[in-house]
Amino acid sequence: MASRLDRSPVAIWWRTIDRWFLAAFMTLMGLGIVLSFAASPAVAERIGLDSFHFATRQIFFTLPALAVMLAVSFLEAREVRRMALIMLCIALVLMVAVLYVGVEVKGARRWVSFAGVSVQPSEFLKPAFVIVCAWLFAEHQRQPDIPGNFMAMGLLGVVLALLVAQPDLGQTMLSLGTWGVMFFMAGMPWLWIIVLGGLGVGGALAAYTVFPHVAGRIDRFLTGEGDTFQVDMGREAVINGGWFGVGPGEGTVKRVIPDSHADFVFAVAGEEFGIIMCFLIMFLFAFIVLRGLNIALKEHDDFTRYAVAGLVVVFGLQSVINMGVNLQLLPAKGMTLPFISYGGSSQIAIAISMGMVLALTRKRPERRKSPGYPLTKHALAAE
């Protein structure tokens, strides 16, 4: 433990970091590695790869993700804003590039390749989008003559248009829902709530009408007819595991799930480690979201309040969608379980997001003072 007299950057970081958040994030990363060893060998063998190909790559992705998360957590709020603005500009350029030179998978263009490394720009767009919108909302609150809310609406329109063009309707709904939560926290009038709610419903109906794959997924979810093999097997895996699971490596249903190491790793956790493990995973995600919202509600600074709330909401919504699909409670949608599912872009992007949460929730002298309270040199030195 660092001494209170130690003024090195690492010592100050350790004293000011939210250790509950840090412990929860690292626990999820550890579970991701454990569950990768449980879920991925069957997938690797089925496509002719070494049994632990995906498991070793999961470790390969997790180690730099952890380093990135810790590095970002050292930043100050203004540095987080600058980083997000740069990320947003790069991600928007790549989102446009994806439409022309992206790798097409199952009719969608979401990936761009650099020197053999595939990157999904939309994953990096999410945290940058949240931070920049939080800053715009906060600037409007600070100075009402600044059109921050309208600029945030314009940015939302650009982001949604690029996501629909891929098309990636899951990320579209995720971004829209998160933006709505932040706008609501920023004091959105009831008229806007009604208008945006109507637009959301209209957008969902339009997606059902325009995109056949969306209509197919919803119809299969509502009727149970058609190709529901993967979601049926996901639910079957959880049922097969019971309360305590069949044991590590003993799962059988996981062997026939095509994406057991990625979108359906939660089902594998249920089969091999039981419903108890599923509850533990759900508890960790709920803890992170509720703690983040609790901290945000107590925060005096508008930017920090909106940013922390937005980051934990997008984190929570993504996890709810993944687990809901695994349990056949939501229509099928390919979305990773944060920190646990296999994936390089997803791991690094989520690590950046949660590094921003750690950075913005660090204890600072001004947070223990009421707004406008003058800080002295002695008060700053005491921290």
Side-chain angles (χ1 to χ4, degrees):
M1 179 166 299
S3 165
R4 298 292 297 180
L5 299 178
D6 189 347
R7 304 298 299 169
S8 67
V10 174
I12 294 174
W13 173 86
W14 179 248
R15 288 200 298 271
T16 58
I17 201 74
D18 189 309
R19 296 173 198 172
W20 287 104
F21 267 146
L22 184 61
F25 298 150
M26 294 184 72
T27 300
L28 286 175
M29 286 181 171
L31 284 173
I33 293 174
V34 171
L35 292 175
S36 181
F37 276 97
S40 66
V43 178
E45 291 169 5
R46 192 161 55 241
I47 59 178
L49 298 174
D50 177 73
S51 296
F52 296 108
H53 172 81
F54 293 112
T56 51
R57 286 178 65 85
Q58 179 80 354
I59 297 173
F60 176 78
F61 293 141
T62 300
L63 292 178
L66 176 60
V68 167
M69 183 180 73
L70 295 178
V72 173
S73 71
F74 276 83
L75 301 179
E76 297 294 329
R78 64 180 179 277
E79 295 169 330
V80 170
R81 287 195 294 267
R82 292 170 186 167
M83 176 184 176
L85 188 58
I86 294 171
M87 277 182 59
L88 180 68
C89 293
I90 295 173
L92 288 175
V93 171
L94 291 178
M95 290 282 285
V96 174
V98 159
L99 301 178
Y100 298 96
V101 298
V103 179
E104 184 172 338
V105 179
K106 298 179 181 179
R109 291 183 179 271
R110 301 173 187 173
W111 299 83
V112 62
S113 182
F114 295 102
V117 178
S118 296
V119 176
Q120 188 174 2
S122 61
E123 291 289 348
F124 296 92
L125 179 69
K126 285 186 293 187
F129 172 68
V130 167
I131 294 295
V132 172
C133 284
W135 175 63
L136 292 171
F137 289 141
E139 286 300 296
H140 180 74
Q141 289 288 322
R142 187 176 63 86
Q143 287 185 272
D145 57 324
I146 296 177
N149 288 1
F150 287 102
M151 292 173 70
M153 289 181 192
L155 180 58
L156 174 68
V158 171
V159 168
L160 295 187
L162 289 172
L163 287 171
V164 171
Q166 290 186 356
D168 190 343
L169 299 189
Q171 299 284 17
T172 300
M173 299 304 295
L174 198 61
S175 300
L176 180 60
T178 304
W179 186 91
V181 169
M182 290 193 295
F183 195 14
F184 180 79
M185 292 183 67
M188 174 172 51
W190 279 103
L191 177 61
W192 278 109
I193 295 177
I194 295 171
V195 171
L196 293 176
L199 290 175
V201 173
L205 292 174
Y208 181 85
T209 304
V210 174
F211 297 104
H213 70 283
V214 173
R217 287 176 178 177
I218 294 175
D219 290 343
R220 287 193 294 270
F221 174 73
L222 295 176
T223 65
E225 299 175 355
D227 183 11
T228 60
F229 175 77
Q230 191 153 234
V231 291
D232 288 341
M233 289 299 98
R235 186 187 62 175
E236 182 65 26
V238 176
I239 295 173
N240 188 49
W243 283 101
F244 302 103
V246 298
E250 299 300 318
T252 55
V253 181
K254 70 176 185 182
R255 299 183 181 279
V256 297
I257 302 177
D259 296 321
S260 62
H261 64 313
D263 299 341
F264 285 84
V265 69
F266 184 75
V268 176
E271 182 178 26
E272 299 206 346
F273 300 95
I275 297 175
I276 297 295
M277 174 62 79
C278 293
F279 280 139
L280 172 62
I281 294 172
M282 287 188 284
F283 169 79
L284 285 170
F285 284 110
F287 171 79
I288 290 168
V289 174
L290 294 176
R291 184 171 181 81
L293 292 176
N294 184 54
I295 292 173
L297 290 174
K298 294 178 180 178
E299 179 60 54
H300 291 309
D301 179 66
D302 286 332
F303 164 70
T304 303
R305 181 164 63 251
Y306 304 150
V308 171
L311 290 170
V312 298
V313 164
V314 73
F315 183 82
L317 285 177
Q318 183 169 334
S319 65
V320 166
I321 292 172
N322 178 276
M323 292 184 286
V325 170
N326 275 244
L327 297 174
Q328 218 172 25
L329 298 175
L330 292 173
K333 176 67 191 83
M335 193 165 287
T336 58
L337 188 59
F339 283 136
I340 295 181
S341 293
Y342 172 82
S345 292
S346 176
Q347 283 276 42
I348 301 296
I350 292 167
I352 292 173
S353 298
M354 296 304 102
M356 290 174 170
V357 171
L358 289 171
L360 294 171
T361 56
R362 284 173 56 190
K363 299 172 187 174
R364 294 181 175 87
E366 60 269 24
R367 291 196 182 154
R368 293 197 292 269
K369 307 295 182 183
S370 59
Y373 190 96
L375 290 175
T376 66
K377 294 181 179 179
H378 297 293
L380 290 171
E383 184 61 26

